[in-house]
Amino acid sequence: MKRSNQHKPTPPRWAHCLLTWLHPANTLEEVEGDLDELYVYWYNRAGPTQATLRYVLNVVSVLPPFVRRRQQSNQYTHPSILHPDMFQNYFKIALRNLFKQKVYSVFNLLGLALGISCGLLLTLHIKEELSYEKDFQNYDRIYRVATTEWSKSSPPLAGAMKPYFPDIEQIVRFSSRGTRVVNSEFNEQGESTGYFADSSAVPVFSLKTVAGNPIRALAEPASIVITQKMAAKFFGKRNPIGRKLIFDSNEELWVKAVIENLPENTHLKFDYLASMPTFYKYVPESLTGNKGWMFGWTYVLFRHKDDVAKAEKRLMDFLLTYYAPGNEKDVRETTEFARTVRFQPLTDIHLKSNLIQEMGANSNIVYIYIFIAAEVLILLIACFNFINLFTTQALRRAKEVGMRKVLGARKSQVIGQFLGEAFILTLLASLMAICLYEIALPFYNSLAGKQVSAWEIFRPDNLLIIGLIVLSIGLLSGLFPSLFISHFEPITSLKADKLPKSSASLLRKSLIVAQFVVSAFLIMATILIYQQMNLLRNKQLGFDKEQVLIVKLYGKFKEKVLVNTELFKNELTRNHSILAVAQSSNLIGDDLSVESVTPLNPPAGKDYPSVKVARVDEDYLNVLQIKLKEGRNFSHQFNDSASFIINERAVELLGLKNPVGAIVVNDSDKRQGKVIGLVRDFNFASLHNQVEPLVLEYKPQFSGNLLVKIKPGNPQEAVAFLKNTVEKLAPNTLFSYSFLDERVDALYTKEDNMSGILNGFSGLAIIISCLGLFGLVVHESKIRTKEIGIRKVLGASVSNLVGLLSGSFIKLVLIGILIAAPLTWYLIDKWLQGFAYKIDIHWWVFVLAGLLIIAVALLTVSFQSIKAALMNPVNSLRSE
C-alpha cells in the first residue's frame, strides 16, 4: 500500500498551475479533482505521454475564453418591487388582509369613498365655474370695454375705437331688449330674451350658423337671428328662415338666420339677436350719437393676445381725442374718467365683475375659494381617517413584517408592499366614490342649480382628474404608514405580543384633532352662513314683498290698460282677493336707470353723482307699503307729471335742507320739477349693497309691470281671476306673472346654493370623522380587552370603563373644537365684510356647534365602549 502511494502518477506541474491560475474559482475544486482522477486513469491505461497530452488538452478546454470567469457571489438577488410577480403578491396579500380585517376595511373604504365623492362633486363644480366663456374659440382675445364702475359704454364708442386701434380685429355692441312676449305666425306664444347686436357678433363670438346668413341678417333692419332652441319653440320642424315673429304684439321682425344654441357656461344669455340697424331705426340720433349715454356693452376682439397691452397704453390718448374736452376743467374730468376705463378680459366677467348694469347676475371668485377650501378640507379629513385606520391595521401585522425581514425582505420592498396596498384600497374607494357620485348627483344639481350630466364624470379630462386624486390620496395616505412600518426591527416585531409602542400613537391623536378642527370649522361656518342667509331673507327691507303679484304689461294689453287705467284697476279691486294695483317701469331687484339729477341752480363747481330713477304711478307706495316721511304721494288731483318723490339717501346726496318743495332737474331727460314727497330708505336692490339714492318719477305710461297686492290665503284664486281679466281685455295675450317675494329671494341664489352645498358637505365631513373615530375605538377596545377584564374583576363599574375608553377620544375632539372656534370666527368675519348688512357673530354659535359635535362623537364612541365594558370578564381574560 505504501509502495503503491509512492508511485501514484501526477500531472505536469506547469499544466496544473495554469489550471489553478486561470480557471474560474467557483468550479476550480471540482474540475481539478476530476482531471487528477482522469490523469491516473489515462496513465495506467495508455502511458505517461498519452496521459500528459490528454491532461493538457483538457486543461486548455476549461480555461477562458472557453469557460467564462464568473464573480463569486454569496448574496441573494432581491427581485424588484416593480416585478409583475411582486405586484401579484402585493395584490394577493392586500385582498387577504382586506377580508381578514373586515371592520377596519369597511370603515376605511367608506370614509375614503365619501371623501373622494365629495372631492369629485366639488372639483366638477369648480371646474364648471372656471370654464365660463372658454367655449368661445377666441375667448382669450376678447375683452369688454368697461370702467371700474360701469359695465356699459356709449353707442358711438365702438365706431371711433375701431379705426384708432389697428390691433383691434373686430368690435361688437350689444344692447338689451329685455324679455318680451313673442308670437309666431303659427300662433305659438312664449317669452324670449334678446339683444340688439352688430353683425360682428358672429365672428367675435364664433357663433355657428345652422341656417341663413347671420352676418348679413344682423346688418339689415327688422331682421333677427334666433337660436336653435327658439326656432324649435316657435316653428317646430318648419323652416324658420323668412318667417315673421311678433314681439309684444306690436313689433314685427323677420327671421333671417338660425345659429346654434349658446353654451351654458357664458354670461351671454339670449334667445335671439336683433340687428343694430333696427335699434337705430327706433332710437333718435340725439341718443345714438350721445357719448355719455351708457346704452350697452362693447366687446373687442384683438388680433393677438399681446395686443391688449399696446392698446391700453393708447387708451388715454384715444379717450381725450374721443371726448375732445374744451376747457381745462373738462380735460381734468376726462382724464380722471379715462383712468377708470379698461379692457376687461372676457373670462373675468363671470367671477370677477360686479359692475353697474351687468348683463346678468355674476358669481364671485370668493365662492370658488370657499369651495376649494371645503374640498381640500374634506379630502384631508378622509386622508387622516385613512392614515389612522391603515396604520392601526398595519401595526397588527408587525409579526408579518418581522417574518418578511427575517426571510430577506428589504425596507423598500416593505414600503412597496404597504404603499401598493394603500393604492389598491384607494382605487377601490374611488370606484365606490363614482357610485356615490352618481347617487348624489341629482341632489347636488338641485342644491347648486346646475344640470351636470351623469356621464360628465367619464369625460377624459375628468377621468384624468380622478386619476390625479387617486394618485395624490394614495401617496398622501399610504406613504407615512409604509415608511413607519418598514422601520420595524425584525426581532422586536417577532417578540411583540401587542402592538409596538411608538410615535404612531401621537400621530393618530394629532390626526384626530386635525379631523375635528376641520369638521368643527365646517359646522360652525355652516351655522353662521345660514344665519347670514336668514338675515338676507328676513330683514325688514322697508317695503312689504309678501302677497304681491307681478303681471307683465305689454302690447295691446298695456295699451288698453293705459287708455283707462282707473277703470281697469276698479275692475280688478272688485274681486275680494285683490287689495290694490300699481304700475311701475322696473321691479325691486332690477338694475334701475342711472341718471343725473341735481338741485336747480347747483353751486358752481359742485359735481353730483348719478342716482337711480324709477317710473311709477300713484299706487306704487301703497301696494309696497312704503312709508312717506314727509310730503305727499303722487295724485290725480294734482298735475304731477313733473313731480318727484325721493328717498333719504337722495336728500343727503343732493344736499337738500328742506327737500319737500325743492326744485330738482333730471338732466337725462331735461325734466324739471318739484319734490313732493320724501320716503324712508328702502332696499330696492340686494342687501349686498347699501341703499342708494333713489328718485321716483310719476310716469305711468312708462310702466312695464302691474303690481297687484292680494289677500293672503288663496293666491290661486287671484291668479285665475287676473288671467281671465287679461284674456277678456286683450285676447291672445300671454299672461305672464310671478311673485315679488320669490323675485327678491332670487337675488341671493348664489349664496343660497353655496349655503346648501356647504350644509351637505359639512354633514359628510362629520360622518367621515366619526367613521374614523369609531374604527379607532374598536381598535382601542380590542387591545385593552384583558385590561377591561381585570378592571371588572377588581370592581370597576360599566360607567367607569365607558369613561376610560371614551374619555381620551372626547378630549381630542374638544381640543379640535377649541382650535376651530377662533379660526372660524376670523374667516367668517372676513367673508361678512362683503355684505352691507351682516349678522353679529355670537359666542353661543361656537358653544352650540361644539356641543353638537361632542354629542355626535359621544354617540359614536359610546356604542363600542359600552359593548366592551359589558363583556364577560372571563372571556376578556381568555382573549389574546
Side-chain angles (χ1 to χ4, degrees):
M1 189 72 185
K2 187 176 178 182
R3 183 184 175 90
S4 165
N5 285 342
Q6 285 178 348
H7 292 88
K8 182 181 179 182
T10 56
R13 186 182 294 264
W14 63 270
H16 182 260
C17 290
L18 195 64
L19 177 69
T20 55
W21 291 341
L22 298 179
H23 186 81
N26 54 337
T27 55
L28 178 62
E29 188 176 347
E30 293 88 341
V31 172
E32 190 179 14
D34 290 347
L35 287 181
D36 285 347
E37 289 177 7
L38 285 170
Y39 181 81
V40 174
Y41 173 75
W42 292 326
Y43 185 92
N44 293 332
R45 187 154 182 180
T49 306
Q50 282 290 329
T52 301
L53 182 60
R54 289 183 182 185
Y55 182 86
V56 171
L57 288 174
N58 276 277
V59 166
V60 171
S61 70
V62 295
L63 294 180
F66 304 108
V67 173
R68 188 163 62 88
R69 182 181 289 273
R70 296 172 187 164
Q71 291 291 333
Q72 186 172 3
S73 174
N74 295 323
Q75 294 181 344
Y76 171 73
T77 304
H78 293 268
S80 166
I81 59 171
L82 300 177
H83 195 279
D85 291 340
M86 295 306 295
F87 272 121
Q88 188 180 356
N89 181 263
Y90 296 154
F91 188 72
K92 191 187 294 180
I93 297 292
L95 286 183
R96 196 175 290 164
N97 282 296
L98 195 66
F99 288 105
K100 188 178 175 184
Q101 304 186 56
K102 295 185 186 68
V103 175
Y104 292 107
S105 301
V106 167
F107 286 139
N108 222 343
L109 284 175
L110 194 57
L112 200 54
L114 280 172
I116 294 175
S117 58
C118 291
L120 284 178
L121 281 171
L122 285 169
T123 298
L124 291 183
H125 177 86
I126 295 164
K127 187 165 163 276
E128 199 264 342
E129 287 287 296
L130 294 176
S131 71
Y132 263 66
E133 322 299 349
K134 292 181 180 172
D135 284 341
F136 295 122
Q137 186 180 344
N138 303 315
Y139 73 90
D140 55 346
R141 292 192 286 135
I142 301 174
Y143 289 78
R144 184 172 69 178
V145 181
T147 70
T148 52
E149 189 177 8
W150 281 84
S151 64
K152 286 183 171 179
S153 49
S154 62
L157 181 73
M161 190 172 266
K162 179 77 167 60
Y164 193 89
F165 294 97
D167 302 320
I168 294 178
E169 184 177 322
Q170 295 281 356
I171 192 164
V172 57
R173 298 167 299 168
F174 291 90
S175 180
S176 177
R177 285 173 54 85
T179 299
R180 302 192 182 200
V181 176
V182 184
N183 288 71
S184 74
E185 298 173 48
F186 307 104
N187 293 323
E188 296 292 342
Q189 195 176 42
E191 288 183 309
S192 295
T193 303
Y195 292 88
F196 293 106
D198 291 311
S199 58
S200 49
V202 179
V204 170
F205 288 95
S206 308
L207 303 179
K208 294 176 182 171
T209 306
V210 175
N213 187 333
I215 295 179
R216 193 166 62 196
L218 292 177
E220 297 174 355
S223 66
I224 58 171
V225 174
I226 63 176
T227 61
Q228 283 178 302
K229 186 178 175 183
M230 186 170 176
K233 181 177 178 181
F234 289 99
F235 300 103
K237 294 182 178 177
R238 303 181 190 96
N239 182 8
I241 304 300
R243 300 285 184 183
K244 179 175 66 178
L245 286 174
I246 304 164
F247 291 79
D248 283 353
S249 306
N250 56 16
E251 181 189 27
E252 295 182 351
L253 297 176
W254 300 86
V255 178
K256 297 291 182 64
V258 179
I259 56 173
E260 287 186 6
N261 295 326
L262 290 176
E264 287 292 324
N265 54 347
T266 173
H267 78 290
L268 285 177
K269 307 284 185 193
F270 61 78
D271 301 307
Y272 68 92
L273 293 176
S275 67
M276 197 55 84
T278 311
F279 171 82
Y280 276 79
K281 185 179 156 189
Y282 298 150
V283 182
E285 196 174 336
S286 59
L287 282 178
T288 57
N290 188 338
K291 296 177 181 176
W293 181 36
M294 299 296 189
F295 94 115
W297 301 269
T298 303
Y299 294 86
V300 171
L301 174 66
F302 285 100
R303 297 183 190 280
H304 303 286
K305 283 190 284 187
D306 302 333
D307 290 340
V308 64
K310 288 187 279 182
E312 279 176 339
K313 288 178 183 173
R314 301 186 62 203
L315 204 49
M316 176 69 79
D317 293 339
F318 163 74
L319 290 169
L320 288 172
T321 306
Y322 173 68
Y323 286 107
N327 54 43
E328 188 179 340
K329 181 189 171 193
D330 288 345
V331 171
R332 190 172 60 251
E333 289 177 351
T334 304
T335 304
E336 288 177 7
F337 171 73
R339 289 197 181 103
T340 68
V341 179
R342 58 185 171 144
F343 293 112
Q344 184 182 31
L346 183 68
T347 49
D348 281 0
I349 292 175
H350 178 60
L351 291 174
K352 299 178 183 174
S353 184
N354 187 24
L355 303 176
I356 296 174
Q357 297 200 339
E358 293 278 1
M359 272 189 171
N362 291 324
S363 186
N364 195 318
I365 191 69
V366 171
Y367 299 138
I368 297 298
Y369 297 147
I370 290 174
F371 286 130
I372 289 174
E375 179 181 1
V376 171
L377 292 177
I378 289 173
L379 284 175
L380 279 178
I381 288 179
C383 286
F384 294 163
N385 219 20
F386 187 89
I387 291 171
N388 263 340
L389 292 174
F390 191 71
T391 307
T392 304
Q393 280 179 279
L395 286 171
R396 295 166 64 87
R397 296 163 60 187
K399 284 188 178 177
E400 175 194 329
V401 175
M403 186 60 73
R404 282 180 176 274
K405 286 196 165 184
V406 167
L407 294 175
R410 292 176 173 175
K411 281 184 181 177
S412 61
Q413 289 175 314
V414 176
I415 292 171
Q417 177 193 344
F418 282 90
L419 202 54
E421 289 183 20
F423 271 110
I424 289 169
L425 284 171
T426 310
L427 199 59
L428 290 173
S430 301
L431 295 176
M432 287 175 63
I434 291 175
C435 297
L436 291 173
Y437 164 88
E438 296 292 345
I439 293 169
L441 194 59
F443 302 102
Y444 167 77
N445 280 336
S446 172
L447 280 174
K450 304 276 183 186
Q451 293 298 322
V452 180
S453 160
W455 295 104
E456 185 74 13
I457 193 74
F458 298 109
R459 284 178 47 178
D461 50 343
N462 291 330
L463 289 176
L464 180 64
I465 290 172
I466 294 174
L468 289 174
I469 289 177
V470 170
L471 187 66
S472 307
I473 292 180
L475 269 178
L476 186 64
S477 306
L479 199 57
F480 171 78
S482 308
L483 289 172
F484 176 74
I485 291 160
S486 68
H487 283 82
F488 282 0
E489 290 298 330
I491 296 175
T492 309
S493 305
L494 291 171
K495 282 183 177 177
D497 291 329
K498 291 184 179 180
L499 305 179
K501 300 288 182 185
S502 65
S503 59
S505 174
L506 180 62
L507 176 77
R508 284 206 305 276
K509 289 178 181 175
S510 305
L511 292 181
I512 290 173
V513 171
Q515 275 185 311
F516 279 91
V517 167
V518 175
S519 301
F521 167 76
L522 287 174
I523 288 174
M524 290 169 185
T526 300
I527 293 174
L528 291 168
I529 290 171
Y530 174 81
Q531 284 186 328
Q532 175 66 18
M533 297 313 303
N534 218 28
L535 171 78
L536 297 182
R537 275 191 288 266
N538 300 321
K539 185 180 185 307
Q540 292 299 320
L541 301 173
F543 66 93
D544 186 6
K545 65 178 180 179
E546 305 297 332
Q547 310 301 327
V548 176
L549 258 171
I550 302 165
V551 180
K552 188 174 178 60
L553 202 56
Y554 73 97
K556 289 180 182 175
F557 172 46
K558 179 178 177 180
E559 288 172 9
K560 293 190 176 180
V561 169
L562 292 180
V563 165
N564 204 335
T565 306
E566 283 307 307
L567 188 64
F568 175 73
K569 286 186 178 180
N570 290 336
E571 179 70 22
L572 292 183
T573 50
R574 272 199 205 105
N575 187 288
H576 70 279
S577 61
I578 295 178
L579 300 175
V581 181
Q583 297 167 252
S584 70
S585 61
N586 300 89
L587 298 170
I588 299 289
D590 279 352
D591 233 343
L592 300 183
S593 176
V594 181
E595 300 174 15
S596 171
V597 176
T598 61
L600 183 65
N601 301 322
K606 183 172 177 60
D607 292 325
Y608 292 90
S610 300
V611 300
K612 298 289 178 76
V613 178
R615 275 83 190 184
V616 300
D617 73 350
E618 67 277 8
D619 291 313
Y620 183 78
L621 299 184
N622 180 34
V623 166
L624 294 182
Q625 301 290 299
I626 298 171
K627 304 295 182 189
L628 268 170
K629 186 178 179 183
E630 292 179 30
R632 64 171 178 84
N633 194 358
F634 295 123
S635 171
H636 283 304
Q637 297 175 1
F638 304 95
N639 180 12
D640 281 335
S641 58
S643 300
F644 301 95
I645 294 175
I646 61 178
N647 69 352
E648 293 170 308
R649 282 285 295 122
V651 171
E652 186 182 327
L653 181 83
L654 299 175
L656 302 174
K657 292 182 180 175
N658 298 301
V660 176
I663 306 296
V664 297
V665 179
N666 186 339
D667 292 326
S668 301
D669 59 2
K670 308 300 180 190
R671 185 179 298 268
Q672 175 181 319
K674 185 187 290 184
V675 176
I676 61 167
L678 168 65
V679 294
R680 296 187 186 281
D681 286 341
F682 64 98
N683 294 96
F684 56 89
S686 84
L687 293 175
H688 290 93
N689 305 308
Q690 294 281 1
V691 176
E692 295 179 83
L694 175 69
V695 173
L696 300 177
E697 282 189 6
Y698 183 67
K699 282 186 179 175
Q701 65 274 24
F702 278 46
S703 300
N705 305 282
L706 279 180
L707 305 179
V708 183
K709 183 75 174 178
I710 63 174
K711 282 185 179 175
N714 193 3
Q716 293 82 5
E717 182 186 344
V719 171
F721 172 74
L722 282 167
K723 186 177 181 183
N724 288 333
T725 306
V726 170
E727 283 178 355
K728 279 185 198 170
L729 188 67
N732 297 324
T733 294
L734 180 70
F735 178 67
S736 172
Y737 75 97
S738 59
F739 287 92
L740 183 61
D741 55 346
E742 293 176 354
R743 184 181 178 80
V744 172
D745 289 345
L747 297 174
Y748 312 105
T749 302
K750 292 287 179 187
E751 286 79 9
D752 272 337
N753 291 344
M754 183 191 70
S755 177
I757 292 171
L758 278 182
N759 284 346
F761 287 134
S762 299
L764 284 173
I766 192 72
I767 288 173
I768 295 170
S769 299
C770 287
L771 277 174
L773 197 60
F774 187 75
L776 291 175
V777 174
V778 171
H779 162 73
E780 189 78 6
S781 59
K782 276 191 177 180
I783 64 170
R784 300 179 74 175
T785 302
K786 186 172 277 185
E787 178 191 341
I788 291 169
I790 294 170
R791 285 178 181 270
K792 285 192 81 173
V793 169
L794 294 176
S797 65
V798 173
S799 58
N800 287 337
L801 294 173
V802 171
L804 177 73
L805 290 171
S806 307
S808 57
F809 290 105
I810 297 303
K811 279 180 194 170
L812 300 178
V813 174
L814 201 57
I815 293 171
I817 293 168
L818 292 175
I819 294 173
L823 186 68
T824 310
W825 180 88
Y826 176 76
L827 292 175
I828 290 294
D829 187 59
K830 287 281 181 191
W831 176 69
L832 288 173
Q833 301 303 319
F835 292 88
Y837 302 90
K838 56 191 177 186
I839 57 167
D840 292 326
I841 301 177
H842 296 289
W843 61 269
W844 60 263
V845 172
F846 303 101
V847 175
L848 179 68
L851 289 175
L852 177 68
I853 294 165
I854 289 172
V856 175
L858 262 177
L859 194 66
T860 305
V861 300
S862 296
F863 173 76
Q864 187 61 31
S865 301
I866 293 172
K867 186 180 169 186
L870 291 175
M871 189 182 287
N872 189 332
V874 176
N875 295 332
S876 302
L877 293 170
R878 284 179 179 169
S879 66
E880 298 294 332

